[in-house]
Amino acid sequence: MLPYDKSLLIIPTYNEIDNIQRMLDTIDELYPDLNILILDDGSPDGTADVVKKKQANKPNLHLIERQGKLGLGTAYITGFKYALERDFQFVFEMDCDFSHDPADIQRLLEAAQTNDLV
C-alpha cells in the first residue's frame, strides 16, 4: 500500500474556475487519501470558493489564499514550506489545467519508494 496519507499534492491556482472542480473530483476519485494543497493567488473568478465548498467534506483538502497574483515560484515555495512544517514525506506539484495527468501520481509515488527524486 502506498503512503498517500503521508503525501501532499501542491496545486497553484489563478482563475481556474473551469478546471478546479473537475481536478479535485478526479484526484479524489483516484486517491481519496492524498492530501491536496491549493494555493490560490486571489482568483477573482471564484476558484477558492469552489475549494472551500469541497473542504466541508474533505479534511485532507487544504487551501492557502494569497492576496494578489504573487506568481508560480513563490506559490511552490509556500507549498514546500507547508509540507515541511507538517512532516509530509512525499511532495508533488501539478498544474490545475490537466497539463499534468493526475493518474501519474501513483506511478511517481511508487518510484519515490526507491528513489530520492522522481
Side-chain angles (χ1 to χ4, degrees):
M1 180 176 236
L2 292 172
Y4 290 105
D5 61 327
K6 306 248 187 257
S7 303
L8 179 69
L9 173 61
I10 300 168
I11 304 176
T13 58
Y14 183 77
N15 284 345
E16 290 289 350
I17 196 70
D18 293 337
N19 297 314
I20 190 67
Q21 184 70 50
R22 186 167 60 100
M23 177 59 77
L24 293 175
D25 290 345
T26 299
I27 293 168
D28 192 39
E29 183 178 306
L30 292 169
Y31 318 106
D33 296 329
L34 180 65
N35 291 279
I36 304 166
L37 173 61
I38 304 297
L39 285 141
D40 188 69
D41 271 5
S43 297
D45 68 353
T47 298
D49 294 332
V50 172
V51 177
K52 288 176 191 173
K53 287 178 189 169
K54 191 88 168 154
Q55 280 182 304
N57 299 317
K58 186 151 179 67
N60 55 334
L61 175 59
H62 313 279
L63 172 66
I64 295 176
E65 291 182 88
R66 303 187 327 154
Q67 298 304 310
K69 196 168 182 186
L70 301 175
L72 191 59
T74 61
Y76 280 128
I77 290 169
T78 299
F80 296 147
K81 286 179 181 178
Y82 182 95
L84 290 170
E85 290 167 358
R86 288 157 182 82
D87 296 321
F88 284 103
Q89 294 178 4
F90 304 95
V91 181
F92 302 92
E93 55 184 65
M94 179 176 287
D95 292 341
C96 193
D97 65 359
F98 286 88
S99 59
H100 303 119
D101 185 352
D104 289 335
I105 293 171
Q106 178 178 346
R107 185 175 53 86
L108 293 167
L109 188 53
E110 286 172 351
Q113 302 308 297
T114 56
N115 296 280
D116 293 330
L117 181 67
V118 296

